[in-house]
Amino acid sequence: MFVYEVPADATDDLKKKIADLVSQQRTRSEDDGSYQKVLSGISLAIQKDSNSGVIIAEEAGEVHGIAFYNLGISLPLGGPYLWLNELFVRENSRNKGIARKILLHLIHWAEREGIKSIELETGINNSVTKHLYNSLDFHDIVSQRYQFNF
């Protein structure tokens, strides 16, 4: 299993494989995002000067897992933080440590880059991901997330 950040010059085939996996997750959660929007988002995220990135776990030409993140600036922390928007592993690839490998890759990269914090959101009843995050020393923050769409 090879875990790496998707480069700006990724092939269209790789971007489509990533979009296929993300679309599976989005369909599962009943999000109305279209495939083309997902594909466009991936292309924007991996651009050279983007404050976003995509990390994948790949083996034998198949994408088994993905993490999508954005970087921001935290005033209280006095520096950059990483917001983990998506972490998803293909259903038939779960319980093999893939999400952990992706997160560890992200944690080590963020530490080398001087990132002050990694933040994310997960469902209240998602005990599997909570266990994973807690096992890697993430801790709960009491918060309420809001959204405004155009």
Side-chain angles (χ1 to χ4, degrees):
M1 185 74 52
F2 186 47
V3 176
Y4 64 96
E5 181 139 7
V6 178
D9 63 351
T11 65
D12 288 342
D13 183 54
L14 179 58
K15 289 187 249 184
K16 287 177 184 176
K17 287 179 182 180
I18 296 166
D20 289 342
L21 182 58
V22 172
S23 294
Q24 287 176 22
Q25 186 264 343
R26 300 315 257 165
T27 301
R28 255 183 82 242
S29 65
E30 300 178 16
D31 189 71
D32 64 357
S34 74
Y35 180 82
Q36 287 303 325
K37 288 180 182 178
V38 169
L39 194 55
S40 176
I42 291 164
S43 294
L44 289 170
I46 65 172
Q47 287 180 355
K48 187 173 179 130
D49 293 328
S50 172
N51 283 332
S52 302
V54 176
I55 296 171
I56 62 170
E58 182 181 29
E59 185 173 61
E62 185 176 356
V63 177
H64 292 270
I66 177 177
F68 164 63
Y69 68 86
N70 286 295
L71 296 174
I73 302 297
S74 169
L75 297 180
L77 295 174
Y81 75 97
L82 184 148
W83 179 262
L84 182 59
N85 296 72
E86 303 282 345
L87 177 62
F88 182 71
V89 173
R90 182 179 305 281
E91 234 175 288
N92 63 355
S93 299
R94 292 185 183 158
N95 299 314
K96 297 177 182 175
I98 295 171
R100 176 177 294 279
K101 287 178 185 174
I102 292 171
L103 275 173
L104 286 170
H105 179 93
L106 192 60
I107 289 167
H108 295 306
W109 173 84
E111 185 176 31
R112 285 191 312 271
E113 294 297 314
I115 306 297
K116 305 287 185 186
S117 174
I118 298 175
E119 299 178 22
L120 58 93
E121 180 179 78
T122 191
I124 293 170
N125 297 320
N126 194 339
S127 61
V128 173
T129 57
K130 283 183 173 184
H131 176 74
L132 171 63
Y133 298 134
N134 289 332
S135 75
L136 292 171
D137 293 331
F138 283 77
H139 57 275
D140 293 342
I141 299 173
V142 178
S143 178
Q144 179 67 44
R145 187 171 178 180
Y146 295 90
Q147 179 177 6
F148 179 88
N149 290 331
F150 292 94

